[in-house]
Amino acid sequence: MPDTAVPLRPGRRRAGTSRSSSVLIHALLILGAVIMVAPFFWELMTSLKTFAESTAVPPKIFPASPQFANFSEVFAALPFAVQFVNTVIMTVARTAGQVIFCSAAGYAFARLQFPGRGVLFILFLSVLMIPSQLFLLSQYEIMQAFGLLNTVTALALPGIFSAFGTFLMRQFFLQLPPELDEAARIDGANPFQVFWRIMMPLATNGMLALGVLTAIWSWNDLLWPLVVNNAPDKMPLSAGLATLQGQFLTNYPVLMAGSILASVPMIVLFVIFQKNMLEGIASSGIKG
Amino acid sequence: MSSPVTAAEPAAVPPLPRPDLRARRRSSKGLRRGDVIWGYLLIAPTAIGLLGLSIWPAIQTFWFSFTTWGSFGGHTFSGLDNYMQVVKDPELGRSLLNTFIYTGMTLISIPLAIALAALLNRKGLRGVGVYRTLYFLPVVTLPAAISLVWKLLYNGDFGPVNALLGLVGIPGTSWLSNSHTAIYAIGIVSIWSSVGYNMVLFLAGMQSIPAEYYEAASIDGASKFRQFLRITVPLITPTTFFVAVITVINSLQAFDLVYLMVGPTSPALQSAETVVYLFYEKGIIQSQGGYAAAIAFVLLVLILIITLFQFRVQKRWVHYA
């Protein structure tokens, strides 16, 4: 719309500044992008270097010949395959759990009237505001009491339930027209049928946003896995890579190769579902 | 989005079904039985999970904070001992200072994110999607991977950061093991990894500013920069406020980067450890759960006070439309 103002004020100066300012904008944005990407570039280059090249003084940017063997060495040097599977199980369980349970709870908070709803809502809200460290010691003892320490179940369990996810889904359901519920209810559907058959399909975007956010957050979660599981074969990659840094401190190329293999799944997921994820972030941000 | 539909509701919905529905399905209290039963059933999994794994743990941790943990398990009540210790503990004082430095540095990502979002928000700019993806990459990347590469970048002997500084004649150091630089070096990584997230929030905020404002301003001859200062900046203050609150809350709980980049054996640990790192060290490594619980409550109170303060002063600078 502001562009329509340009022809109204015919002057070479305006058009000129607009073109040169767009060059300036791109220059600034590219400079920023270079700073953002440089560490990733260095990571990739290091993963292809020999050990000697990775610690050369002055630093070499490119490897003389790419050492792709570093990537296969990851599987020999670290319990990578097992930790990858642990991470996948933890992430899938948390994501599926949150998408289903948070949608259900979010729908109930958005549309159903029942006694105690206000109190429950305040309880959920308080969970959202309390720093998670406050739960940690006691959660550890609960896992211990149920004999779940050093299990993949313990990794996934607390993250299946989310106050944030419930609020996000509540927001999405509140945006849907209430006439849809009413019409279905008049036709004799019970609230579960309305939720499952009508509202859930309409909230696909919300569920995708929550799903991608949960997946990335689970995949990268560090503190909880460090607390409950200390056996390397029960750790996810986040904790595994962290604790293995000490043991393989000097072998940067192999560690970088492992980091890349461990980061790529979420980067791919983000690139594919970017639109849903960013919408989810924006809507949770604005509607808080 | 649903507002046009909602606005049309009284006219569009025939008046007949509504009273009928109330008479048939609602109990004397005005509630529908189906609503009540299904309301509880749909909320049950998350409510039970949160009660068992968040709310109960928070209550239990409150109790822990008044106990001393024996080396063979078992917690004995020790009154306010832990809190007395917290007040006197120089390590907690240091970790608080480090946490504040880290938080202050992370807040720098806000003006950066606003500037980037403003550049991206230009109509007809090419490659917005590509830029947004690139700036967002650190947000989705495994913290362990991020820390690893930054440790290499910051390395005192063969790190490229020092090599670059050397080109302009600035002497480098071992950034992460030098106790004067460690927390600042970590802070820079924090800015780098949060700027993309904040930028997305600001971009969403800027896109909701009506285009007419800019139109009117450019007819009046205001430059783009002036428009940014006089229109964009004031109108995104609600987003700025929200981002500031979230950034402060998250930064006060900083753990991952410190644990991953400095770690227990570093000579710089004391000058880089944050409150949550101290909590982890006391509660998990040293099994002093009672003391750790007290630290966690000090953190909660701190977060509440700072957040309340932010809400208090927001009236002075946040413009709600």
Side-chain angles (χ1 to χ4, degrees), chain A residues 2 8 22 34-35 46 49 59 88 96 140 173 182 202 219 242 278:
Chain A
L8 288 177
S22 118
V34 166
I35 295 171
T46 306
K49 288 174 185 170
V88 170
Y140 174 87
F173 285 119
E182 286 297 331
L202 290 174
W219 191 276
L278 297 181

Side-chain angles (χ1 to χ4, degrees), chain B residues 120-306:
Chain B
L120 280 179
N121 193 34
R122 226 178 127 93
K123 272 227 164 83
L125 188 82
R126 287 188 184 192
V128 174
V130 177
Y131 287 124
R132 203 176 49 189
T133 308
L134 294 179
Y135 284 97
F136 206 80
L137 270 187
V139 183
V140 299
T141 306
L142 201 66
I146 287 176
S147 311
L148 201 60
V149 70
W150 276 95
K151 273 167 89 171
L152 185 56
L153 294 174
Y154 277 138
N155 187 289
D157 302 317
F158 46 84
V161 168
N162 281 356
L164 282 176
L165 290 174
L167 290 180
V168 288
I170 300 172
T173 176
S174 291
W175 299 96
L176 290 169
S177 41
N178 182 334
S179 59
H180 296 293
T181 56
I183 191 68
Y184 299 98
I186 295 171
I188 287 174
V189 180
S190 169
I191 296 171
W192 175 80
S193 44
S194 53
V195 73
Y197 187 91
N198 293 342
M199 186 193 78
V200 166
L201 289 173
F202 285 119
L203 202 53
M206 287 177 192
Q207 279 160 0
S208 65
I209 299 176
E212 294 80 44
Y213 292 4
Y214 294 106
E215 232 170 286
S218 59
I219 288 170
D220 289 347
S223 69
K224 287 278 179 204
F225 185 68
R226 228 180 135 70
Q227 290 177 27
F228 168 74
L229 284 184
R230 292 296 167 88
I231 300 173
T232 312
V233 171
L235 288 179
I236 55 160
T237 45
T239 309
T240 314
F241 171 69
F242 172 80
V243 173
V245 168
I246 295 295
T247 302
V248 168
I249 290 178
N250 287 336
S251 306
L252 290 174
Q253 299 177 58
F255 170 79
D256 290 13
L257 291 178
V258 177
Y259 176 85
L260 291 163
M261 294 176 71
V262 176
T265 53
S266 166
L269 177 65
Q270 286 206 336
S271 56
E273 67 176 349
T274 53
V275 176
V276 173
Y277 188 93
L278 187 67
F279 163 87
Y280 171 78
E281 186 182 77
K282 295 288 179 196
I284 308 299
I285 309 285
Q286 299 174 4
S287 302
Q288 300 178 34
Y291 186 53
I295 294 175
F297 269 93
V298 169
L299 182 66
L300 172 68
V301 171
L302 193 74
I303 289 174
L304 287 179
I305 290 173
I306 294 179

Side-chain angles (χ1 to χ4, degrees), chain A residues 233-265:
Chain A
D233 64 328
K234 298 296 179 194
M235 280 178 185
L237 289 167
S238 58
L241 270 173
T243 49
L244 284 161
Q245 281 188 39
Q247 295 167 41
F248 295 87
L249 187 63
T250 48
N251 204 343
Y252 279 113
V254 173
L255 275 173
M256 291 297 163
S259 297
I260 290 172
L261 291 176
S263 314
V264 159

Side-chain angles (χ1 to χ4, degrees), chain A residues 172-237:
Chain A
F172 269 92
F173 285 119
L174 282 176
Q175 288 170 8
L176 298 174
E179 288 73 21
L180 288 172
D181 299 50
E182 286 297 331
R185 295 292 290 275
I186 290 161
D187 290 344
N190 70 36
F192 179 74
Q193 290 165 325
V194 176
F195 162 66
W196 193 256
R197 300 222 187 110
I198 299 170
M199 301 312 269
M200 280 262 273
L202 290 174
T204 320
N205 279 340
M207 292 192 295
L208 266 176
L210 175 63
V212 181
L213 284 171
T214 307
I216 290 172
W217 162 73
S218 298
W219 191 276
N220 296 339
D221 189 16
L222 176 67
L223 185 53
W224 174 246
L226 280 178
V227 168
V228 279
N229 290 0
N230 55 22
D233 64 328
K234 298 296 179 194
M235 280 178 185
L237 289 167

Side-chain angles (χ1 to χ4, degrees), chain A residues 4 34 81 87 133:
Chain A
T4 54
V34 166
T87 316
Q133 297 82 34

Side-chain angles (χ1 to χ4, degrees), chain A residues 81 112 125 131 251 253:
Chain A
L112 303 178
L125 214 100
N251 204 343

Side-chain angles (χ1 to χ4, degrees), chain B residues 51-79:
Chain B
L51 277 172
L53 290 168
S54 297
I55 293 167
W56 166 246
I59 296 167
Q60 204 183 17
T61 305
F62 187 58
W63 156 249
F64 285 164
S65 74
F66 299 103
T67 62
T68 302
W69 290 25
S71 12
F72 305 102
H75 321 316
T76 43
F77 181 73
S78 57

